[in-house]
Amino acid sequence: MPSRSQAGPEPPAAGLQFPVVGVGASAGGLEALVQFLGGVPNNSGMAFVIVQHLDPSRHSMLPELLRRATPMVVREAADRMQIEPDCVYVIPPNKDLALLDGKLQLLEPAMPRGLRLPIDFFFRSLADEQRERAVGIILSGMGSDGTRGLQAIRERGGLALVQTPATAGFAAMPRSVVAAGLADAVASPGELAGLISGHRPHPAPAVPARPGTALRHSAFEKICALLYARTGHDFSLYKKSTIYRRFERRIAVHRLGGIADYVSFLQSNPQETELLFKELLIGVTSFFRDPAAWAFLQEDVLPAMIRGATDGLLRAWVAGCSTGEEAFTLAMIFHEAMDHAGPGARVELQIFATDLDADAIAKARQGLYSRKIADMLSPARLARFFVEDSGGFRICRAIRQMVVFAPHDVTMDPPFTRLDILTCRNLLIYLGAAPQKKILALFHHSLKPGGILFLGSAESIGHADALFTPLETRARIYRREAVQQSPLAIDFPSRQPGLSPNPDPAYSSNMLPTNLQTLAEQLLLQKFSPAAVLTNAEGDVLFINGHTGNYLEPAAGKANWNIHAMARGCLRQELMVALPQALRTAGTVVVKNLGLGEGDAMRHLDLTVYPIDEPAALRGMVMVVFTEVTTAKTKPRLRAGKPLADTRVLELEQALFEAGEELQRTREEMLTSHEALRSANEALQSTNEELQSTNEELTTSREEMQSLNEELQTVNAELQAKVDEWAATSNDMKNVLDSTDIATVFVDKRLHVRRFTRRATRIFKFIPGDIGRPLSDIVHQLDYPGLSLDIETVLETLAYSEKQIATRDGGWYIVRIMPYRTLENVVDGAVITFIDISEAKLLEAELRAARQSPPPGP
């Protein structure tokens, strides 16, 4: 597996025996949050923490808006609040949120506005706290906040879910996660709620370190066999507990009953094998991980290696390089060490970086990283070793040319040799004891005497202390000891097609035929292979095989490793023609029987220039092979008083010599022009750096504006939801007032009309434009000259008034005046109701008249 930062999942906090779901959203996320919480079943047994980009200067209405979407308890998070199941916690404005010991922790943000990543911050703490119980969900939002947090959750065995970008109001955040390949499932918010309900992680059962006969055909071994058949990589060598957790994770994602069901699922779904392979290869790496260890390597190890480099070249191998960050880190600190080595130091570092994951190698070759690497690198290193490109940072050409990337399985492929530095950080922790012992022996064989082994912070050399001596125990940096290992004791990897992932133990213990084959192949390469060099398209020498001193020699002056400058005699002219021809035609160019030297030292050789197309890691390079040929010596025949070489031949030789001299002068002029162009290019690069600096400032301003825009979008969504709520409340109030059929007038403290019901227009001559006018200006039918005075009395005394008032057309009303109180219990006007009692008054008059009239006579 590629390098990782943790040795494996640990149990979650003892106080929280239930999953915690972190939900990240940004602009346009309110609707998605409502849909998601609406789909969460009652009594789910999970806790939900909502992290959203909020305006730091404004109170959030998100909790009260979410209470209408779910029957669960919705609370605004408070410092040291104990988290409970079936509750929803919402981040407050202007705070960062973390989970520690089962409690929510509120922290002051490092920046009040701008580049704040609260979702990443909480997700990382959630991953550390909950491990495999953690669930991270990314909903609608702008930017890429949450991507690195989900990566941390997946590294520890948690579940990562993402809203379908097509359903998101703002798809940037979901799209960033999908592009990074971190999503276990992509669905709509409502569907995501159903997916988490089936997430019930449980620890993997113990698996024996080496399965016996009874377990040979177990489900676990079958999965390893399927992986080997599909990918060619044997995962049975890795720690069973670590691999089993990854199996359990895929089982939980697909909601299968157990590992036996997963075997059947793998057999019927070949694409799942590829997904499982990617699951096992989650690369965890970063620039300058463990800064103290890199500082020790740069300050205490590299200077001595640079001073001791006799041939001007150091070789390094970065095993398990993932996406290339550690390989480029090594190249950067070597460049900085060369700055302090003095002007006379001329040492180059060739780095071979390998990994099991071909996709990670492809990304590493691009050398393009997101803008978040600015958090890992100092501004000086970022400006020196990176250039802005495609919205991120690309490694500069000088660093990129130092590294050659290639797919490689350290347990199955032959190792690199004659190394000065070997880094293998956090790879051995995933292997069993036997593979670790084998690989450490291989590393000892690969390093030169005195070479450096650099391991991860969680690794050690174990029982190989006789092979390596620690230079700095805390940094895990070791020096190779000059201990002779028996060639038969070193188990050299040799990938052989058709070999099962779990061969018979009797066969695997007897590796003598494989070792003999390896030794024989090495002997053939050393004794019988022709001298050859590997160059790039410009002729710069990258690799030398065999003894090439008879054909190449370093040119005097400034060190120049170009084959055109190093070629002897006529080889120079032949290479200047053959190398471009081979690249242009993509075919092998062979020059036969070249003579090199003079007199008895004359050598005859065939020159072969072969352009490389496969493997992909060497594509575009050229292999130049020097093959010496034997020619029979013949005595010169004499003519009548004349040697064989007559005057014409001498003239042709002289012309050829002059042509060669002219070609050499032309080439020197071309090199001079090249230097002038290089100087002009450096000036342009300086101008470009200034423009890049200006562009960085503009980019920072743009990102701050984007962050502010997200906060405004969130506020706007909350306000829109509140407006909708008020509109509904207003409609309800209007219908209540109309249904009572009671004339009602609302006035403010200045006795200006605030609102009136339709029934009130029978008493007052109201029109819609009268809102805001003084009530005394409105014509009415009441015989009530003291109306305004009574309203003012009610506002002063807060005691309601009730009177029976007649109208000019003979009607009667009970006029009730009461104070108008707000939700904060503040008097802000008066409410006047008019209850029609005309019929009651009419009946009362009739009864009174009946009582007063004399009784009829006899």
Side-chain angles (χ1 to χ4, degrees):
M1 290 173 112
S3 58
R4 299 171 186 252
S5 59
Q6 299 294 335
E10 301 174 1
L16 293 182
Q17 297 301 321
F18 53 87
V20 176
V21 181
V23 185
S26 178
L30 179 59
E31 180 182 0
L33 287 171
V34 171
Q35 294 177 5
F36 171 75
L37 292 177
V40 175
N42 296 333
N43 302 320
S44 64
M46 300 182 178
F48 300 84
V49 181
I50 309 296
V51 182
Q52 195 176 22
H53 295 166
L54 301 172
D55 184 351
S57 60
R58 186 179 179 278
H59 174 70
S60 175
M61 296 182 289
L62 188 60
E64 55 187 281
L65 295 176
L66 295 180
R67 289 188 183 103
R68 303 198 307 268
T70 175
M72 291 185 290
V73 177
V74 179
R75 301 168 179 163
E76 184 172 78
D79 193 31
R80 302 188 61 79
M81 178 180 284
Q82 181 68 45
I83 198 166
E84 299 176 357
D86 297 316
C87 291
V88 180
Y89 301 89
V90 181
I91 185 173
N94 200 28
K95 296 290 182 181
D96 280 338
L97 187 62
L99 181 62
L100 181 64
D101 296 333
K103 297 180 180 179
L104 296 173
Q105 308 288 335
L106 295 184
L107 306 171
E108 293 296 329
M111 298 178 62
R113 289 189 182 272
L115 295 177
R116 292 174 54 187
L117 304 174
I119 302 175
D120 279 335
F121 188 87
F122 176 74
F123 279 7
R124 283 195 292 267
S125 72
L126 176 63
D128 292 337
E129 177 81 2
Q130 283 282 285
R131 301 287 175 177
E132 66 271 10
R133 293 184 186 275
V135 180
I137 300 176
I138 290 296
L139 301 178
S140 171
M142 294 189 292
S144 59
D145 191 12
T147 301
R148 291 176 64 182
L150 280 187
Q151 182 179 6
I153 289 175
R154 288 202 66 190
E155 289 165 9
R156 290 157 178 78
L159 187 65
L161 305 177
V162 183
Q163 180 181 1
T164 306
T167 65
F170 294 86
M173 278 171 47
R175 191 178 292 119
S176 174
V177 177
V178 173
L182 299 174
D184 289 315
V186 181
S188 65
E191 294 171 340
L192 293 178
L195 291 176
I196 65 170
S197 62
H199 179 62
R200 287 292 184 272
H202 47 85
V207 180
R210 189 66 186 171
T213 305
L215 295 177
R216 186 176 300 276
H217 301 293
S218 67
F220 183 89
E221 298 298 333
K222 289 179 182 178
I223 294 177
C224 291
L226 289 171
L227 282 169
Y228 184 88
R230 182 76 175 180
T231 66
H233 299 292
D234 184 9
F235 286 96
S236 64
L237 302 175
Y238 293 82
K239 289 181 179 177
K240 299 298 184 291
S241 58
T242 301
I243 299 299
Y244 201 94
R245 287 189 182 95
R246 300 298 173 182
F247 294 169
E248 287 290 321
R249 174 181 167 78
R250 299 305 300 176
I251 292 170
V253 169
H254 294 291
R255 302 184 184 182
L256 300 176
I259 193 169
D261 296 333
Y262 189 57
V263 172
S264 302
F265 186 79
L266 277 174
Q267 291 172 332
S268 58
N269 296 274
Q271 67 275 11
E272 174 63 18
T273 309
E274 294 293 334
L275 295 175
L276 177 60
F277 179 64
K278 294 298 181 184
E279 181 80 14
L280 296 171
L281 299 178
I282 300 176
V284 181
T285 184
S286 62
F287 290 100
F288 292 94
R289 183 172 50 166
D290 301 328
W294 285 107
F296 181 85
L297 184 66
Q298 177 180 354
E299 298 170 4
D300 296 88
V301 177
L302 286 181
M305 300 189 75
I306 292 173
R307 290 192 298 268
T310 56
D311 56 356
L313 180 66
L314 297 175
R315 289 162 53 87
W317 176 21
V318 179
C321 68
S322 189
T323 49
E325 284 90 335
E326 291 200 348
F328 290 137
T329 299
L330 178 60
M332 285 187 280
I333 67 169
F334 178 80
H335 256 272
E336 294 174 346
M338 287 296 298
D339 294 342
H340 297 84
R346 292 290 183 270
V347 181
E348 294 184 3
L349 176 64
Q350 178 67 61
I351 302 174
F352 302 96
T354 64
D355 197 274
L356 190 63
D357 189 356
D359 292 339
I361 288 295
K363 183 176 180 180
R365 286 182 179 138
Q366 295 176 358
L368 182 63
Y369 301 95
S370 70
R371 301 189 64 84
K372 294 182 180 179
I373 65 171
D375 300 335
M376 314 171 195
L377 298 163
S378 66
R381 282 172 171 157
L382 193 65
R384 178 179 180 184
F385 299 117
F386 291 86
V387 295
E388 288 200 51
D389 187 9
S390 303
F393 292 101
R394 188 181 297 276
I395 200 77
C396 69
R397 184 173 182 179
I399 298 297
R400 177 63 185 88
Q401 289 180 340
M402 295 174 61
V403 187
V404 176
F405 291 99
H408 182 276
D409 187 347
V410 71
T411 64
M412 302 183 68
D413 294 322
F416 293 84
T417 57
R418 296 187 300 159
L419 300 171
D420 298 280
I421 303 173
L422 198 161
T423 74
C424 180
R425 310 196 66 228
N426 299 316
L427 167 61
L428 298 179
I429 55 177
Y430 294 97
L431 298 172
Q436 283 189 23
K437 182 179 179 181
K438 167 188 170 182
I439 289 175
L440 287 172
L442 286 172
F443 287 171
H444 183 271
H445 172 78
S446 299
L447 287 165
K448 295 178 180 178
I452 298 300
L453 175 65
F454 187 14
L455 298 180
S457 58
E459 298 170 326
S460 66
I461 56 174
H463 297 293
D465 50 357
L467 304 178
F468 300 96
T469 299
L471 292 180
E472 173 56 46
T473 304
R474 289 176 299 177
R476 300 297 192 269
I477 297 178
Y478 305 86
R479 175 180 284 120
R480 179 196 188 272
E481 288 297 314
V483 178
Q484 295 296 329
Q485 296 188 86
S486 170
L488 298 181
I490 304 175
D491 187 3
F492 288 95
S494 178
R495 187 185 295 272
Q496 299 182 18
L499 196 63
S500 70
N502 294 299
D504 187 76
Y507 174 79
S508 61
S509 63
N510 182 14
M511 300 301 295
L512 182 59
T514 302
N515 286 326
L516 286 178
Q517 176 186 351
T518 303
L519 293 175
E521 290 174 350
Q522 291 181 348
L523 181 63
L524 289 172
L525 288 174
Q526 295 173 1
K527 300 297 184 182
F528 300 101
S529 63
V533 295
L534 179 69
T535 74
N536 58 18
E538 290 76 26
D540 298 324
V541 177
L542 304 176
F543 177 80
I544 299 175
N545 179 70
H547 300 285
T548 59
N550 295 327
Y551 321 111
L552 306 175
E553 64 176 351
K558 183 179 178 181
N560 189 346
W561 287 91
N562 191 281
I563 194 172
H564 298 296
M566 298 174 63
R568 292 176 177 267
C570 64
L571 284 177
R572 183 173 298 169
Q573 286 77 22
E574 297 297 340
L575 282 170
M576 291 183 67
V577 176
L579 196 145
Q581 180 182 351
L583 290 171
R584 184 175 58 256
T585 62
T588 304
V589 176
V590 181
V591 182
K592 294 285 189 179
N593 201 23
L594 286 174
L596 191 63
E598 297 180 355
D600 294 338
M602 175 70 74
R603 297 174 179 272
H604 295 271
L605 68 148
D606 292 342
L607 177 66
T608 303
V609 182
Y610 170 68
I612 301 175
D613 186 59
E614 293 292 339
L618 301 180
R619 186 172 299 154
M621 300 182 185
V622 178
M623 184 70 74
V624 180
V625 182
F626 308 98
T627 307
E628 291 201 11
V629 296
T630 304
T631 59
K633 295 184 177 180
T634 58
K635 295 182 179 181
R637 294 179 298 171
L638 301 178
R639 297 182 184 176
K642 286 186 177 183
L644 179 61
D646 56 11
T647 304
R648 179 60 178 164
V649 173
L650 292 176
E651 291 176 354
L652 292 175
E653 289 179 349
Q654 181 64 27
L656 180 61
F657 177 76
E658 293 175 355
E661 291 293 325
E662 180 66 25
L663 184 61
Q664 178 63 21
R665 285 193 296 272
T666 303
R667 185 175 180 277
E668 291 175 354
E669 293 175 359
M670 182 189 68
L671 291 176
T672 302
S673 301
H674 180 69
E675 289 295 332
L677 291 174
R678 180 177 296 174
S679 299
N681 183 53
E682 290 176 356
L684 291 175
Q685 285 181 348
S686 178
T687 304
N688 184 46
E689 289 174 358
E690 295 177 0
L691 293 174
Q692 286 177 353
S693 177
T694 304
N695 185 48
E696 289 175 1
E697 296 175 359
L698 293 175
T699 301
T700 302
S701 299
R702 180 181 63 82
E703 291 173 346
E704 292 179 354
M705 291 298 296
Q706 176 178 314
S707 176
L708 181 59
N709 186 36
E710 291 180 12
E711 295 168 0
L712 292 176
Q713 289 280 354
T714 301
V715 172
N716 182 60
E718 294 179 355
L719 291 176
Q720 183 60 48
K722 202 67 176 177
V723 168
D724 294 341
E725 179 183 357
W726 287 341
T729 303
S730 180
N731 291 331
D732 294 342
M733 187 64 181
K734 182 178 181 301
N735 282 277
V736 168
L737 292 175
D738 290 343
S739 64
T740 59
D741 199 28
I742 296 175
T744 306
V745 178
F746 298 84
V747 297
D748 58 19
K749 289 182 178 180
R750 298 182 301 167
L751 307 190
H752 290 188
V753 178
R754 174 180 288 167
R755 182 191 296 270
F756 55 84
T757 62
R758 185 174 54 186
R759 182 76 174 181
T761 58
R762 298 183 181 181
I763 303 171
F764 293 83
K765 302 299 182 180
F766 283 129
I767 61 175
D770 289 336
I771 300 296
R773 292 182 60 189
L775 182 63
S776 59
D777 292 351
I778 309 300
V779 178
H780 55 81
Q781 300 293 329
L782 297 173
D783 187 8
Y784 193 1
L787 176 61
S788 298
L789 182 60
D790 287 349
I791 295 175
E792 293 175 353
T793 302
V794 169
L795 291 177
E796 291 176 1
T797 62
L798 303 183
Y800 78 92
S801 168
E802 182 175 310
K803 296 181 179 181
Q804 295 184 5
I805 304 297
T807 62
R808 296 185 178 91
D809 57 358
W812 283 86
Y813 288 90
I814 295 177
V815 180
R816 182 177 296 148
I817 306 173
M818 301 182 66
Y820 178 95
R821 297 179 183 273
T822 64
L823 296 177
E824 291 78 17
N825 200 29
V826 175
V827 176
D828 191 30
V831 181
I832 312 162
T833 59
F834 303 88
I835 302 175
D836 189 357
I837 58 172
S838 299
E839 293 185 4
K841 280 291 185 179
L842 181 59
L843 291 175
E844 181 183 347
E846 291 178 354
L847 288 175
R848 186 180 295 112
R851 289 177 180 176
Q852 293 176 355
S853 61

